[in-house]
């Protein structure tokens, strides 16, 4: 296992940059005191007594940990107040500095911190004495003396706090120093309380020196009470932290954040610089090596614990401890010092008698603090909970994996693909579609019946392996069930999906050799793309099933979904006979949606739209009954019903000053009818409508069917004088350059791009490109789906001539269309224009 080292940090040697000036300040202030005060030293018996008292007062330390440094709140301000009153200035400096030196030697601090503390003690005390020198000499122990001593002690405290903040800022950055300043109010309050206690003691000593016996007894009692209290408080805090930790482990055991919750809380609970979790690789689970570090909010892939300690803990399944408070039976303390590890506890995470990994804490915060044997049971309790939670988490992960993967092929199953597809369709990327390819293995039933199901399983496993190996790396390959496999990924368009399907199908068709048998396995492929064929995973998967079923009977065995395939559903099959009856009885109505010029909002024509109110199902979606009509051969009758109604209304339009031009949608199947242009000529003659008032709208997919028949029919219609429009332009496979080959007069930009112009720069660029190039080809451009004034203004800016949408009017019956036109028309103010102008209707 590779060991990762922590990133480099500012050297603590930079603390000398602060220690040096502080020592110089101490020397200068002491020199000034020696010259300005007479006598500046003396009373050596009292000085030695005060030194001993200061040493005793410095032993009970209340630690406040700030990042990697421990701020110790000492009780030295109490004897310091007394010393300021009773001793000469340099004697106070000597006593406090000597007491600090003795305490630092006992704590065995690093040299840089040792000399910083000694220099700071001398400098802070000398500056406090300089303050006393500048103030009136205390007389008695009245309020004036209180104020003077309080001010001097405050200077001592503030100098100490400032120097510590500066040195922490130099070593760890200004944020750490500022954090110390922000956490200092409790320490300052404690200093105020100590000054008050010191003044009370001073008043008592001045009043009666024998009171020192009582004060000593009270101090001893308070020390014993304080020790009991701190022990109780520590135990209470440990129990509270354990409760919080176990609760967090329980809550995060199954949501993937267990390690984050565990390591951060373990590090805080143990007051450690590092807390590390190591889990070796097991099965499909990779190795886990993560560490929470005190000054980092995230988890790092480092391991400061020596590898031999971790290996020993796993091998023996026993706790390994190293540090000054633990026995060094194996001589490991010297080894960890090389690794810059002060102390460490490494616990095996046991599941039964087997160690599944380790939980480690390294370096208790504060140079004077170390892990103790009392910490081991606490960490063992945490490790026991963590081991159970980690094992349960892996079990849940295994169950979740099994629930979303196929047992035979190890591929994601239909449930997993459905979830992934649901996420994919939520993200719309301009110029991309989400393609779903369904591969249906042909002849698997014969393999099972002839060679047995074991051979069939081998075929499925081989197909799965080939798909996984040949599919693009970005594709999700899964098994839908039975003999069906799904591939989903993002592509540029449906053409790329067809090419990919054909390529994968050819590679799957390579011979498969099983023992002495050689099989030639083929597949049928269905294709759907989002958003053209559906807006959600359920619809896409349903329709790709239909396409794959159709592919079994289509040469080439690759079928892109089209709405006609969906007519095979029970709902649409039930509509077939009802549609025939509706056409016979005239129940299919024709609605008209106005098309207006965008510059001056004048009516230039209407689009004729079929509407069917079913007696049982209510309003039937046009896409549904049009697909049924195509599938059942009734599309010709439906088209003629709409065409006749449109021509009749165009002929009978009452506003003779503005003839009504009509547009009728025709399907791809209609374009394959060679007799259709002749039938159109007959109807134009029958109704007496000039050909140029009739426009046929054709979808891109109806033009590009791979044959020349649609284009031949379009040319014949154009020769009649009928106008031709390319509908829903931009949603299919037609390129802009392909417009040169099409005999059309008009291009209709799909509403999906028009409605996105105001919010999507990509849609705006597409519409702009279509308008510009179409105009260069001499084509009229109609924008569908104009629903807002902002969209209207954008279309006007890019030069689009005609619009259609709810901003002007919804599709209306003929009677309401005439009433709408009459109500909205305004006479032109110029008086010389023939066409009425329309107001926009929301």
């Amino acid at each position: 296992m590779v060991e990762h080292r922590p990133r480099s940090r500012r050297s603590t040697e930079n603390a000398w940059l602060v220690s040096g000036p502080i020592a110089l300040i101490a020397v200068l202030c002491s020199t000034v005191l020696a010259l300005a005060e007479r006598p500046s030293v003396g009373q050596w018996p009292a000085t030695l007594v005060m030194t001993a008292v200061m040493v005793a007062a410095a032993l009970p330390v209340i630690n406040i940990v700030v990042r990697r440094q421990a701020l110790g709140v000492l009780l030295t301000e109490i004897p310091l107040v007394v010393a300021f009153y009773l001793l000469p200035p340099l004697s106070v400096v000597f006593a406090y500095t000597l007491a600090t030196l003795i305490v630092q030697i006992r704590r065995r601090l690093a040299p840089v911190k040792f000399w910083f503390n000694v220099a700071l003690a001398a400098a802070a005390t000398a500056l406090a004495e300089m303050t006393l020198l500048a103030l009136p000499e205390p007389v008695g122990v009245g309020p004036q003396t209180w104020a003077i001593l309080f001010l001097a002690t405050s200077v001592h405290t503030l100098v100490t706090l400032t120097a510590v903040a500066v040195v922490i800022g130099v070593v760890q950055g200004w944020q750490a120093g500022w954090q110390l300043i922000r956490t200092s109010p409790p320490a300052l309050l404690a200093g105020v309380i100590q000054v008050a206690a010191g003044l009370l003691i001073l008043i008592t000593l001045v009043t009666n020196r024998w009171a020192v016996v009582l004060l000593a007894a009270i101090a001893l009692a308070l020390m014993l009470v304080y020790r009991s209290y701190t022990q109780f408080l520590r135990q209470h805090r440990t129990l509270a932290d354990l409760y919080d930790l176990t609760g967090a482990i329980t809550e995060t055991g199954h949501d993937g954040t267990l390690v984050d919750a565990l390591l951060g809380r373990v590090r805080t609970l143990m007051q450690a610089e590092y807390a590390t979790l190591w889990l070796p690789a097991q099965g499909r689970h990779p190795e886990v090596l993560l560490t929470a570090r005190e000054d980092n909010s995230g988890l790092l892939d480092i391991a400061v614990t020596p590898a031999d300690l971790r290996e020993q803990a796993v091998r023996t399944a026993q706790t390994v401890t190293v540090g000054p408070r633990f026995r060094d039976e194996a001589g490991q303390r010297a080894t960890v010092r090389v690794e810059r590890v002060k102390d460490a506890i490494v616990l095996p995470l046991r599941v039964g008698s087997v160690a599944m990994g380790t939980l480690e804490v390294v370096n208790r915060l504060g140079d004077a603090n170390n892990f103790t044997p009392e910490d081991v049971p606490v960490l063992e309790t945490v490790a026991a909970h963590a081991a159970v939670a980690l094992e349960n988490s892996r079990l849940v992960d295994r169950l979740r994996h099994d629930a979303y993967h196929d047992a035979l092929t190890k591929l994601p199953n239909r449930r997993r693909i459905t979830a992934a597809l649901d996420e994919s369709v939520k993200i719309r990327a301009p110029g991309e579609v989400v393609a779903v390819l369904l591969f249906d293995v042909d002849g698997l039933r014969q393999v099972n019946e002839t060679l047995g199901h074991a051979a069939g399983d081998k075929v499925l496993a081989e197909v799965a392996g080939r798909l996984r190996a040949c599919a693009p790396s970005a594709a999700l390959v899964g098994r839908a069930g039975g003999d069906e496999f799904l591939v989903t990924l993002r592509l540029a368009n449906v053409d790329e999906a067809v090419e990919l399907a054909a390529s994968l199908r050819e590679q799957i068709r390579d011979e498969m050799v099983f023992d002495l048998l050689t099989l030639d396995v083929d597949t049928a492929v269905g294709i759907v793309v989002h958003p053209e064929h559906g807006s959600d995973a359920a619809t896409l998967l349903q329709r790709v099933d239909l396409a794959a079923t159709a592919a079994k009977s289509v040469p080439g065995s690759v079928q892109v979904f089209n709405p006609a395939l969906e007519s095979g559903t029970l709902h649409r099959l039930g509509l077939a006979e009802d549609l025939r009856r509706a056409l016979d009885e005239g129940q299919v109505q024709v609605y008209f949606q106005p098309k207006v010029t965008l510059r001056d909002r004048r009516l230039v024509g209407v689009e004729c739209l079929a509407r069917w109110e079913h007696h049982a199902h209510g309003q039937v979606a046009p896409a549904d009954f049009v697909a049924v009509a195509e599938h059942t051969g009734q599309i010709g009758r439906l088209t003629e019903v709409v065409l006749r109604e449109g021509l009749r209304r165009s002929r009978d339009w009452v506003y003779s000053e503005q003839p009504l031009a009509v547009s009728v949608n025709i399907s791809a199947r209609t374009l394959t009818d060679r007799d259709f242009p002749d039938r159109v000529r007959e109807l134009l003659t029958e109704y007496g409508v000039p050909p140029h008032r009739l426009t046929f709208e054709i979808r891109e997919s109806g033009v590009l069917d791979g044959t020349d028949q649609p284009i031949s029919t379009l040319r014949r219609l154009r020769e009649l004088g009928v106008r031709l429009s390319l509908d829903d332009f931009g949603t299919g496979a037609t390129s802009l350059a392909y417009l040169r080959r099409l005999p059309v007069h008009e291009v209709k930009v799909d509403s999906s791009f028009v409605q996105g112009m105001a919010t999507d720069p990509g849609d705006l660029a597409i519409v702009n490109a279509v308008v510009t190039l179409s105009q260069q080809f001499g084509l009229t451009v109609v924008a569908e789906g104009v629903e807002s004034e902002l969209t209207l203004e954008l279309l006007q800016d890019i030069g689009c001539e005609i619009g259609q949408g709810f901003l002007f009017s919804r599709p209306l019956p003929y009677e309401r269309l005439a009433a709408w036109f009459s109500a909205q028309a305004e006479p032109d103010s110029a008086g010389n224009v023939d066409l009425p102008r329309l107001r926009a209707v929301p």
Side-chain angles (χ1 to χ4, degrees):
M1 182 182 67
V2 179
E3 292 288 330
H4 302 273
R5 303 306 305 167
R7 61 179 172 84
S8 62
R9 311 168 77 170
R10 301 186 185 187
S11 173
T12 55
E13 299 300 321
N14 291 340
W16 290 112
L17 300 175
V18 181
S19 301
I22 289 177
L24 180 60
I25 291 173
V27 172
L28 292 177
C29 291
S30 298
T31 303
V32 172
L33 290 173
L35 297 176
E37 187 74 13
R38 289 291 186 272
S40 58
V41 295
Q43 302 184 25
W44 291 110
T47 300
L48 295 178
V49 170
M50 292 305 303
T51 301
V53 173
M54 290 179 180
V55 170
L59 292 179
V61 182
I62 302 174
N63 285 316
I64 300 176
V65 178
V66 180
R67 300 190 68 146
R68 298 185 64 246
Q69 300 295 323
L71 172 64
V73 177
L74 306 177
L75 301 178
T76 50
E77 280 84 353
I78 296 177
L80 190 61
V81 171
V82 178
F84 282 149
Y85 184 83
L86 298 178
L87 299 179
L90 288 183
S91 295
V92 176
V93 174
F94 172 78
Y96 192 82
T97 305
L98 179 59
T100 302
L101 181 66
I102 295 172
V103 171
Q104 302 307 308
I105 293 174
R106 183 179 182 278
R107 290 177 179 167
R108 301 177 183 178
L109 297 182
V112 61
K113 193 168 185 178
F114 176 93
W115 290 112
F116 169 79
N117 288 338
V118 173
L120 178 58
T125 310
L127 286 171
E129 285 291 353
M130 291 284 291
T131 303
L132 286 174
L133 183 63
L135 295 174
E137 184 176 355
V139 178
V141 288
Q144 181 182 5
T145 301
W146 301 350
I148 293 172
L149 294 178
F150 177 80
L151 183 59
T153 310
S154 297
V155 169
H156 183 277
T157 302
L158 292 175
V159 168
T160 301
L161 177 63
T162 303
V164 173
V166 170
V167 76
I168 290 179
V170 169
V171 174
Q172 298 189 30
W174 67 270
Q175 297 93 340
W178 176 243
Q179 185 176 354
L180 173 62
I181 297 296
R182 288 191 303 169
T183 57
S184 62
L188 295 176
L189 178 60
V192 172
I193 296 173
Q194 291 184 59
V195 171
L199 291 172
L200 289 175
I201 293 173
L202 176 62
I203 294 172
T204 304
L205 291 176
V206 171
T207 303
N208 190 338
R209 293 185 180 274
W210 285 103
V212 69
V213 178
L214 297 177
L215 292 175
I218 293 175
L220 180 61
L222 289 176
M223 183 179 65
L224 294 176
V225 171
Y226 172 75
R227 289 185 60 183
S228 300
Y229 170 75
T230 53
Q231 184 177 4
F232 169 77
L233 184 62
R234 188 182 305 112
Q235 291 174 350
H236 174 75
R237 186 175 302 166
T238 300
L239 289 175
D241 291 343
L242 278 175
Y243 179 79
D244 176 68
L245 178 58
T246 53
I249 290 175
T250 302
E251 293 175 1
T252 62
H254 307 315
D255 61 2
T257 61
L258 173 61
V259 177
D260 302 75
L262 174 67
L263 291 181
R265 286 175 169 82
V266 167
R267 192 203 60 75
T268 302
L269 173 66
M270 303 303 296
Q271 296 183 8
E273 182 181 359
Y274 298 96
T276 300
L277 175 70
W278 175 67
L279 300 173
Q282 180 182 5
R284 66 180 188 84
H285 297 286
E287 180 189 31
V288 175
L289 180 64
L290 294 172
T291 296
R293 188 169 61 192
E294 187 276 331
D295 57 355
N296 196 299
S297 59
L299 298 182
L300 309 175
D301 57 342
I302 63 172
V304 296
T305 312
D308 56 344
L309 298 184
R310 183 180 300 115
E311 294 171 358
Q312 179 184 346
V314 173
R315 183 179 65 256
T316 62
Q318 299 293 326
T319 302
V320 176
T321 57
V322 177
R325 302 291 186 90
F326 301 107
R327 294 182 180 179
D328 189 21
E329 298 176 354
Q332 296 170 325
R333 193 174 302 169
T335 303
V336 298
R337 285 176 183 169
V338 177
E339 302 285 343
R340 295 184 179 179
V341 173
K342 180 178 64 173
D343 48 3
I345 304 176
V346 181
L347 279 84
L349 298 173
R350 288 188 290 266
V351 178
S353 59
V354 179
M356 63 178 296
T358 60
L359 180 63
E360 309 156 9
V361 289
V362 176
N363 293 352
R364 169 152 281 180
L365 294 175
D367 294 333
N369 300 327
N370 295 101
F371 296 122
T372 65
E374 289 76 16
D375 294 319
V376 175
V378 175
L379 194 57
E380 286 178 342
T381 302
V382 175
H385 284 284
V388 173
L390 288 168
E391 181 64 16
N392 289 341
S393 177
R394 286 193 170 183
L395 176 61
V396 170
D397 181 65
R398 191 178 307 118
L399 293 174
R400 185 182 293 115
H401 179 272
D402 293 343
Y404 284 97
H405 288 79
D406 175 58
L408 174 63
T409 62
K410 310 304 179 185
L411 293 177
N413 58 19
R414 192 180 190 93
R415 180 186 300 174
R416 174 69 181 89
I417 292 180
T418 301
L421 196 55
D422 269 327
E423 294 298 321
S424 296
V425 299
K426 292 178 182 178
I427 303 173
R428 182 178 177 183
E432 287 186 350
V433 297
V434 178
V436 182
L437 287 59
L438 177 61
F439 292 80
D440 192 321
V441 181
D442 291 335
L444 185 65
R445 179 177 179 182
Q446 288 78 4
V447 173
N448 288 332
E449 292 176 350
T450 305
L451 304 176
H453 287 278
D457 290 345
K458 290 183 179 180
V459 171
L460 292 175
E462 180 66 19
V463 171
R466 292 185 181 184
L467 272 178
R468 185 163 31 194
C470 301
S473 58
L476 176 63
V477 181
R479 184 184 179 192
D483 55 359
E484 297 178 342
F485 294 87
L486 284 166
V487 177
T488 176
L489 74 165
R490 290 185 177 273
L491 295 171
N493 50 49
V494 70
D495 285 345
E496 284 196 7
V498 173
E499 293 176 5
L500 176 62
S503 173
L504 293 177
R505 178 174 170 272
E506 286 302 317
Q507 295 183 66
I508 293 174
R509 288 182 64 186
D510 288 345
E511 293 181 344
M512 298 182 185
V513 180
F514 300 103
D515 298 330
L516 301 178
L517 295 176
T518 300
L519 302 178
D520 186 8
V521 178
D522 200 359
T523 56
V525 189
I527 301 174
V528 295
V529 297
H530 165 79
E532 182 177 351
H533 298 143
S535 59
D536 58 87
T539 302
L540 291 171
L541 293 176
Q542 176 190 359
R543 291 177 173 176
V544 81
D545 279 331
L546 293 173
T549 301
K552 295 182 179 180
S553 58
V554 175
S557 293
V558 175
Q559 174 67 50
V560 179
F561 172 81
N562 63 75
L565 298 176
E566 206 165 21
S567 62
T569 63
L570 292 177
H571 174 65
R572 290 189 171 177
L573 287 176
L575 292 178
E577 184 60 32
D578 294 338
L579 177 61
R580 183 178 291 107
R581 187 181 303 109
L583 291 172
D584 291 339
E585 298 174 358
Q587 296 177 4
V588 176
Q589 296 180 314
V590 178
Y591 280 47
F592 303 86
Q593 186 173 29
K595 298 162 66 174
V596 304
T597 57
L598 299 181
R599 285 294 177 189
D600 49 14
R601 300 189 182 184
R602 301 182 185 279
L603 181 67
V604 294
V606 293
E607 181 178 2
C608 303
L609 301 168
R611 295 292 184 266
W612 179 25
E613 183 78 15
H614 192 276
H615 61 86
H617 302 297
Q619 192 74 35
V620 182
D624 288 341
F625 67 80
V626 169
V628 169
E630 289 184 332
H631 187 69
T632 58
Q634 300 182 73
I635 189 64
R637 290 191 61 197
L638 179 61
T639 302
E640 184 170 340
V641 167
V642 177
L643 182 56
R644 281 184 175 275
E645 181 67 6
L647 293 176
R648 184 168 72 89
R649 297 304 185 182
S650 177
R651 179 195 64 189
D652 299 338
W653 184 245
V654 296
Y655 299 95
S656 57
E657 73 276 8
Q658 182 181 351
L660 182 65
V662 295
S663 300
V664 177
N665 292 281
I666 57 176
S667 72
R669 293 199 176 189
T670 303
L671 292 177
T672 62
D673 184 1
R674 298 179 183 276
D675 298 328
F676 181 70
D678 297 331
R679 183 60 178 158
V680 172
R681 182 188 296 110
E682 294 172 1
L683 291 175
L684 289 172
T685 303
E686 178 181 346
Y687 287 97
V689 176
H692 66 269
R693 290 192 197 172
L694 174 62
T695 300
F696 284 123
E697 296 184 5
I698 312 100
R699 293 178 60 86
E700 289 185 60
S701 57
V703 179
L704 301 177
D705 68 344
T707 68
D708 292 332
Q709 182 60 40
I711 296 181
S712 175
T713 302
L714 291 176
R715 286 174 178 163
R716 292 178 60 193
L717 291 171
R718 180 171 180 135
E719 291 172 1
L720 288 177
V722 174
R723 290 177 54 82
L724 302 174
S725 176
L726 192 60
D727 195 15
D728 294 342
F729 187 79
T731 60
T734 307
S735 67
L736 293 174
Y738 197 76
L739 292 175
R740 294 180 299 174
R741 294 183 52 199
L742 300 178
V744 296
H745 304 82
E746 181 182 280
V747 171
K748 296 189 73 174
V749 185
D750 186 70
S751 60
S752 62
F753 300 112
V754 175
Q755 292 172 356
M757 291 174 60
T759 57
D760 190 339
D763 288 346
L764 179 60
I766 291 173
V767 176
N768 191 17
V770 172
V771 171
T772 301
L773 192 57
S774 298
Q775 290 176 344
Q776 290 179 357
F777 291 157
L779 303 176
T780 302
V781 181
V782 179
E784 295 182 294
V786 181
E787 297 183 0
S788 69
E789 290 288 349
L790 178 57
T791 302
L792 176 62
E793 293 175 4
L794 292 173
L795 289 169
Q796 290 174 341
D797 292 341
I798 64 178
C800 184
E801 301 106 336
I802 300 173
Q804 177 182 348
F806 291 173
L807 178 64
F808 309 111
S809 175
R810 295 175 179 271
L812 302 170
Y814 178 76
E815 293 76 16
R816 292 182 59 190
L817 173 69
W820 171 85
F821 180 80
S822 177
Q824 302 305 320
E826 297 176 342
D828 191 272
S829 58
N832 56 359
V833 180
D834 295 331
L835 301 180
R837 178 169 179 160
L838 303 178
R839 293 194 301 270
V841 179

